Amino acid sequence: MRRDLRAHDNAALHAALSSSEQVICVFVYDRTILDALPRMDRRVAFIHASVAEAGANLARLGAKLVALEGDPTSVIPDLARRLDAGRVFANDDYEPSARRRDAAIGEALAREGRALLLSKDQVLLHKDEVRSKAGTPYTRFTPYYNAWLQRLGQDPQALSDYDPAPLKARFGAPLEGRSNIPLAELGFDEVDLEGLSLYPGTSGGRRVLDEFIAKADDYLALRNTLALAATSGLDIHLRFGTLSIREIFRELGKRTDVHKASVAGWIREVCWREYFSQLLYHVPRVADGPYLQKYACLDWVKGDLGAQRLAAWQNAATGYPIVDAAMTQLNTTGAMHNRARLVAGSFLVKTLGVDWRIGEAYFALKLNDYDQASNNGNLQWVASTGADAQPPYRIFNPSSQSKNYDPDAEYIKHWLPALESIEARHLHEPWKRKEPIPDYPAPIVDYAASVEECKQRYRAVGPVPAV
């Protein structure tokens, strides 16, 4: 088990039970990942609690989930050798580092006559299942979306429900070892997950899904309103697989009391997740550089000025309240509204002129639901360096974004309570206020000047179309 922390509707687990005499369930705390993280990491705490719940759910089926620690490229082959296991089953992962890990595990197993078998689980359609008529991967979203919808409609297995209960007799004798490892022993601090509205495990995923179904009717109309919790909130559960994407689609399909258009709007957003996933799979170089390779030589702001601008962005001290509120939310909770991610990302890249890869790395460190494909795809989208990205002249204006999606400055005042007494109109454009806002920084850059600076940066690489 990896980013699929659940017993029910787990494709790899079902594949193992369907074709094996005995099945042993294992989770490895990967030190190659954990060793780079700070002691207080919300995601590790979420994973830890989800592993505990997955173990409890497997125990009800007569199985035991054993938690191990180390480098999976050695831990898994060693365990397979000790158990004399002929096959190792896992769900596929499409990130370049995960593919390298799985290749190493597969090679180590093959040298001893064993096999690694991977199943599709974290997405509905993957790899080569959605291709153009020419047989090539899609690089533009709308054609991909149309083909994705068509393929889903033609594939009766896409939303299969993999129930392990009928096959529970195939769980092998419990493996000796612990069902989990204390967080402190792993080198991490406890986190008040509930205080952050993070509900781990399948039970947490079901809770969030039920809450979303109850408000799904308003999703399309309200999803961009920053002060409202109108998005699904399912990102972290999809990221760590505490709930299957198939179950979510099955449950939404049962509802006849929600507007189809609103649910369809959410499904389109899910398709962006799958689009970015297949893009990273087919073009893994985007993990480290621009999809549009001509932008590899963009002249980003570097040195002391770049460091100063980056620090202001990271520390919510840009003087642009909508950006600072978004970064405060991220730094405080590890969450960030989807619209705020685009605003904050665009501000870093196009208004401050800082390399999008630096922003991606910061999001990777802070986001509870960090997913490399989606994070990379969205940052390259706002940076105009990605596949089907916004044009270079499209620059998110923080004041108009603030007026449109937080008109009464409720979101700003919630995350920046020191500004609670300031009129909303001054929080959209504080530089127009006669007197500076007390104890709040002046804007780090002049927006109009930054727009021209941004256009010049992209013009140096190639023509920038007129608006």
Side-chain angles (χ1 to χ4, degrees):
M1 301 180 82
R2 305 191 298 201
R3 51 183 294 175
D4 53 350
L5 299 177
R6 64 186 185 280
H8 184 75
D9 202 11
N10 185 315
L13 177 59
H14 190 266
L17 291 170
S18 299
S19 60
S20 308
E21 294 177 2
Q22 290 188 323
V23 174
I24 302 294
C25 297
V26 178
F27 177 83
V28 180
Y29 284 99
D30 188 342
R31 293 307 328 183
T32 67
I33 297 173
L34 297 181
D35 289 345
L37 300 177
R39 278 195 65 93
M40 202 293 289
D41 192 288
R42 306 174 190 93
R43 294 164 298 190
V44 176
F46 184 92
I47 291 169
H48 187 265
S50 298
V51 168
E53 184 176 311
N57 290 336
L58 283 167
R60 295 188 185 96
L61 296 169
K64 179 181 179 180
L65 175 61
V66 173
L68 302 173
E69 182 181 5
D71 183 342
T73 61
S74 57
V75 170
I76 292 299
D78 289 349
L79 181 61
R81 186 182 309 113
R82 180 154 63 92
L83 296 172
D84 194 23
R87 295 176 295 181
V88 173
F89 293 81
N91 283 313
D92 218 341
D93 198 339
Y94 313 107
E95 296 180 358
S97 60
R99 292 171 66 183
R100 290 191 294 269
R101 173 202 62 205
D102 289 350
I105 292 173
E107 290 168 6
L109 292 171
R111 285 195 293 269
E112 298 181 354
R114 313 179 202 283
L116 174 65
L117 302 178
L118 300 175
S119 298
K120 175 182 66 174
D121 188 76
Q122 63 175 274
V123 292
L124 294 174
L125 298 173
H126 74 161
K127 295 184 177 178
D128 296 321
E129 290 187 308
V130 183
R131 280 184 170 266
S132 69
K133 291 180 180 178
T136 57
Y138 284 99
T139 57
R140 300 190 67 81
F141 173 73
T142 299
Y144 176 84
Y145 172 63
N146 292 333
W148 181 83
L149 281 179
Q150 183 179 34
R151 176 64 189 264
L152 279 182
Q154 297 171 343
D155 187 354
Q157 303 299 316
L159 301 183
S160 295
D161 185 357
Y162 299 110
D163 184 1
L167 299 168
K168 64 182 182 180
R170 294 185 179 177
F171 281 114
L175 186 67
E176 289 186 10
R178 294 179 290 182
S179 58
N180 212 345
I181 301 172
L183 267 177
E185 188 176 323
L186 290 168
F188 293 89
D189 297 332
E190 297 287 343
V191 175
D192 179 12
L193 294 174
E194 189 166 352
L196 294 168
S197 299
L198 290 175
Y199 307 108
T202 298
S203 63
R206 281 295 327 187
R207 171 178 176 167
V208 175
L209 176 59
D210 290 342
E211 290 173 353
F212 174 54
I213 288 174
K215 64 187 180 184
D217 190 36
D218 297 320
Y219 172 79
L220 204 57
L222 301 178
R223 66 187 178 90
N224 281 313
T225 304
L226 290 167
L228 298 178
T231 57
S232 74
L234 290 165
D235 307 62
I236 193 168
H237 294 283
L238 289 173
R239 171 62 181 89
F240 296 113
T242 50
L243 206 62
S244 90
I245 183 65
R246 296 178 300 277
E247 181 174 358
I248 295 170
F249 268 60
R250 291 194 303 267
E251 288 297 311
L252 286 172
K254 292 177 184 177
R255 300 296 298 229
T256 57
D257 57 329
V258 295
H259 290 166
K260 289 183 178 179
S262 196
V263 173
W266 182 79
I267 289 173
R268 184 180 176 89
E269 294 304 308
V270 171
C271 187
W272 273 104
R273 174 178 176 267
E274 304 220 349
Y275 167 74
F276 286 139
S277 177
Q278 64 91 33
L279 184 69
L280 182 62
Y281 175 78
H282 287 295
V283 193
R285 62 176 173 78
V286 300
D288 304 307
Y291 174 82
L292 298 175
Q293 293 178 290
K294 70 176 183 177
Y295 289 127
C297 57
L298 281 170
D299 185 21
W300 301 110
V301 177
K302 305 181 188 72
D304 291 343
L305 180 59
Q308 176 191 355
R309 291 183 176 186
L310 174 64
W313 181 79
Q314 290 175 330
N315 296 312
T318 67
Y320 287 80
I322 192 67
V323 175
D324 294 340
M327 297 306 293
T328 301
Q329 181 186 19
L330 174 66
N331 292 333
T332 305
T333 69
M336 185 187 274
H337 192 286
N338 294 345
R339 168 60 53 173
R341 297 185 195 200
L342 298 177
V343 174
S346 177
F347 188 86
L348 177 71
V349 175
K350 289 191 171 176
T351 306
L352 299 184
V354 176
D355 192 330
W356 61 269
R357 285 165 288 204
I358 297 174
E360 184 189 6
Y362 192 72
F363 282 159
L365 181 66
K366 294 290 185 177
L367 282 172
N368 297 329
D369 60 4
Y370 172 73
D371 175 89
Q372 185 181 25
S374 294
N375 193 48
N376 180 283
N378 281 317
L379 260 294
Q380 291 220 45
W381 187 84
V382 297
S384 302
T385 63
D388 206 7
Q390 65 172 349
Y393 61 75
R394 283 281 305 279
I395 303 169
F396 279 66
N397 184 322
S399 61
S400 61
Q401 292 287 313
S402 185
K403 291 174 185 177
N404 290 338
Y405 302 115
D406 191 30
D408 298 320
E410 293 178 63
Y411 176 78
I412 291 172
K413 292 181 179 184
H414 177 80
W415 292 110
L416 302 175
L419 305 183
E420 194 170 10
S421 63
I422 308 299
E423 290 182 55
R425 62 191 178 94
H426 292 311
L427 296 180
H428 301 314
E429 298 173 310
W431 50 91
K432 291 185 177 180
R433 194 172 185 263
K434 289 182 179 180
E435 298 293 332
I437 297 176
D439 301 318
Y440 186 68
I444 189 171
V445 294
D446 176 85
Y447 179 72
S450 75
V451 168
E452 186 54 36
E453 181 184 323
C454 176
K455 289 181 178 179
Q456 289 176 1
R457 180 175 298 111
Y458 284 85
R459 283 192 193 106
V461 176
V464 175
V467 178

